Amino acid sequence: MSEARVAAFPAAAQASLQERQSVGLPCQDSLKISGVLLGSDAGWQTCRILRQGPRLGPGAVSHKQMRVVLTNPSEVAKVRMQTQRNPCPSSTHQPDSKPKYRGSLHCLKVIIKEEGFGGLYKGCSALLCRDCSASAMYFLSYSVLCDWLTPDGRNKPGFLVVLLSGGFAGVLAWGLATPMDVIKSRMQIDESDQHKYKGLIHCVRESVRKEGAKVLFKGLGLNCIRAFPVNMVVFVTYEGVLRFTDHYINKK
C-alpha cells in the first residue's frame, strides 16, 4: 500500500456573524499546519509506520507542540472575531460606534494590548489535546480501513477504498476531537474582563455542570458532515500525487 502523507485540516469554524473579517485566518491556519506536518513529520511514511504499530513518542508530541505555537494565535483571533456581536463596550451608545475587532491584525493587536502575549495562547492546552488525539485517530483509522478494504494480493488501495477510508477517517478524527474543540473555543472566547475559566479542567467542569455532558459534542454533526467529503478529496489527491511522483521517478 502506498504511503499517505496528509496534512490535517484546521478545526471546524464556529458560528460566525462577521465571516468577512475572519476569512484570512483559516487560510493562515491551513498554510501553517500543512507546512509543519509535511516539513517536520518523522518520516513521511506515517501510514506504513502505523500499520506496523502506532508510535506516539516524544517526536510526535514535539511536533504537535510546534503546531500549537504556530496556530494558536490565529485560532484565538478567529474565534474572537467570529463570535463578537456588539461594538466595543465603551462605545455602545454612540451612533457611529465601530466593532471592537476590525480585522485580523487589529484583533491580534487588541489582544496583545489588553491581555499580553499570553492572551494569544489561551486554550493552547485544549488545542494540543485535540490535535494529538485527532491526528492519531486520523492516520491510524485510515491505515486500518485501507488494509481491511483492500483485497488480498493487491499492494495498493483502489480509488473507492481510498475515498471511503479517507472519509471515515475524517469523521472518526472529528468525533474524537470535537469535545476538546468545544473547550478550546470557550477558553479562547474568555476575554480579560471575564475570567470565566481558570484552565482546561475548570472549563470542562463548568461547561458540563451548567449544560450537561452533551455540551462537549456541540457541532459534532456539522463537523462530521464536512469531514467526510473533505477528507475523501484530501486522501485521493495525495494518493494520486504520490503515485504520479513514483511513476515519474521510476521512468527516469
Side-chain angles (χ1 to χ4, degrees):
M1 187 183 301
S2 62
E3 299 83 7
R5 182 178 58 175
V6 182
F9 276 73
Q14 293 78 15
S16 170
L17 295 176
Q18 300 192 7
E19 188 174 353
R20 288 184 305 169
Q21 291 182 337
S22 57
V23 69
L25 289 167
C27 298
Q28 295 171 19
D29 283 350
S30 297
L31 290 172
K32 292 173 183 176
I33 291 170
S34 299
V36 173
L37 281 171
L38 296 176
S40 67
D41 231 351
W44 59 280
Q45 304 178 358
T46 307
C47 290
R48 174 181 291 178
I49 292 174
L50 287 171
R51 283 198 293 273
Q52 296 171 351
R55 303 174 186 176
L56 300 177
V61 176
S62 299
H63 161 226
K64 295 304 173 187
Q65 290 174 340
M66 184 185 303
R67 176 175 168 175
V68 168
V69 170
L70 289 173
T71 62
N72 205 83
S74 59
E75 284 275 347
V76 174
K78 179 185 70 174
V79 170
R80 295 280 181 93
M81 292 172 64
Q82 289 179 336
T83 55
Q84 71 168 338
R85 290 180 171 83
N86 299 313
C88 184
S90 62
S91 57
T92 52
H93 300 296
Q94 297 180 12
D96 58 343
S97 59
K98 297 179 180 180
K100 183 175 182 179
Y101 306 121
R102 299 193 296 273
S104 303
L105 293 178
H106 182 258
C107 181
L108 292 171
K109 290 178 181 178
V110 171
I111 293 172
I112 294 173
K113 181 179 179 181
E114 295 183 351
E115 306 171 44
F117 281 97
L120 298 179
Y121 289 92
K122 282 190 173 181
C124 62
S125 56
L127 180 60
L128 182 62
C129 292
R130 186 198 74 178
D131 286 352
C132 286
S133 59
S135 294
M137 175 62 72
Y138 190 55
F139 293 116
L140 179 59
S141 59
Y142 175 74
S143 299
V144 170
L145 287 169
C146 277
D147 284 341
W148 183 51
L149 295 174
T150 301
D152 294 336
R154 296 191 59 177
N155 62 347
K156 292 183 179 181
F159 178 75
L160 184 59
V161 170
V162 173
L163 279 178
L164 294 175
S165 300
F168 282 113
V171 170
L172 291 172
W174 268 108
L176 189 62
T178 295
M180 280 297 105
D181 189 58
V182 171
I183 297 303
K184 173 195 73 70
S185 298
R186 292 190 169 212
M187 293 175 68
Q188 290 173 342
I189 294 171
D190 195 18
E191 300 189 24
S192 58
D193 58 342
Q194 296 174 341
H195 293 297
K196 291 172 61 178
Y197 307 117
K198 301 175 183 178
L200 174 62
I201 302 301
H202 183 257
C203 182
V204 173
R205 186 168 58 243
E206 287 297 301
S207 298
V208 172
R209 183 179 66 83
K210 293 178 180 178
E211 304 176 53
K214 64 181 180 180
V215 69
L216 299 177
F217 296 93
K218 282 188 173 182
L220 175 61
L222 290 175
N223 285 341
C224 292
I225 291 172
R226 183 199 67 171
F228 194 87
V230 166
N231 289 284
M232 286 172 63
V233 175
V234 167
F235 275 104
V236 166
T237 302
Y238 273 84
E239 288 282 358
V241 170
L242 290 175
R243 292 182 190 187
F244 174 79
T245 305
D246 290 341
H247 178 72
Y248 180 76
I249 293 175
N250 291 335
K251 283 184 67 176
K252 285 190 172 183

